[in-house]
Amino acid sequence: MTRWYEGPLAAFDTETTGVDVEQDRIVSAALVVQECAGGRVRATRWLVNPGIPVPRGATEVHGLTDEHLQRHGRWPAPVVEEIARALSEQQMAGRPVVVMNAPFDLTLLDRELRRHRASTLARYLDDRPLTVLDPRVLDKHLDRYRKGRRTLTDLCAHYGIELEGAHDASADAMASLELVRAVGRRFAARLERLTPAELHQLQAVWHAAQARGLQAWFARQGTPEAVDPHWPLRPEVPAAA
């Protein structure tokens, strides 16, 4: 029987105007699908005119300027609906979706759907969640005592994954997919008996524990930053009274 990390996987990634999931916007996104390790890759890419200025700092990361997005990007409303439907298709196909740092990309997509479609990601998924594999959560749990950063670039270097064109949504999605396959192989003895659905549930627990540990570290440093324990999607922030 084919191990899950050698079988069908999809991967999703976004590039954005910033790092605030409640306020920032998607400027590009990609979904890549591969039916088996080493197989042909199908990629869908979206370029978005976010309707707000793109900060210089964000452009320096992903290279997408206001001028380029206004000329070549599409309006957000139809794009975010297409993305949500594409993710729903992965769910219906029973294909796990790899999302590096899932609470960022999936929450930001959910907020864009609320903003432009008066809907939610859950509604597009018929309230049946995606099966998500997050290489950051997996690596941090399986190799928890390793020193160093765990960005996509760092993890790719650690696992020997080639990452060309970092901060391009398609390149990052493909690298994340290959990264999950590499994590699966390296920790096969601990992972191969688990189904992706079981791993999804475990990652929610692992991420919460990781968030508590980071929150405790911030407290010791006297840093007021709050760490959200929810995974793979953060709950909606209640509107101010």
Side-chain angles (χ1 to χ4, degrees), residues 46 50 67 73 112 190 226:
W46 295 271
E67 181 182 6
E112 288 278 60
R190 298 167 65 182

Side-chain angles (χ1 to χ4, degrees), residues 146-195:
R146 190 179 79 248
K147 302 292 185 181
R149 289 155 47 94
R150 299 181 195 246
T151 66
L152 179 60
T153 300
D154 295 317
L155 291 181
C156 284
H158 179 72
Y159 286 91
I161 303 300
E162 185 174 354
L163 174 56
E164 291 186 359
H167 299 296
D168 168 84
S170 182
D172 285 359
M174 191 62 218
S176 297
L177 187 150
E178 292 294 347
L179 184 55
V180 161
R181 295 199 190 281
V183 171
R185 293 175 190 129
R186 182 168 298 187
F187 297 98
R190 298 167 65 182
L191 296 177
E192 64 183 357
R193 295 183 184 276
L194 296 168
T195 67

Side-chain angles (χ1 to χ4, degrees), residues 79-89 109 113 121 124-125:
V79 172
V80 294
E81 178 164 19
E82 288 176 17
I83 294 171
R85 292 192 183 282
L87 290 175
S88 178
E89 289 172 6
L109 173 60
L113 288 165
L121 181 57
Y124 280 92
L125 300 173

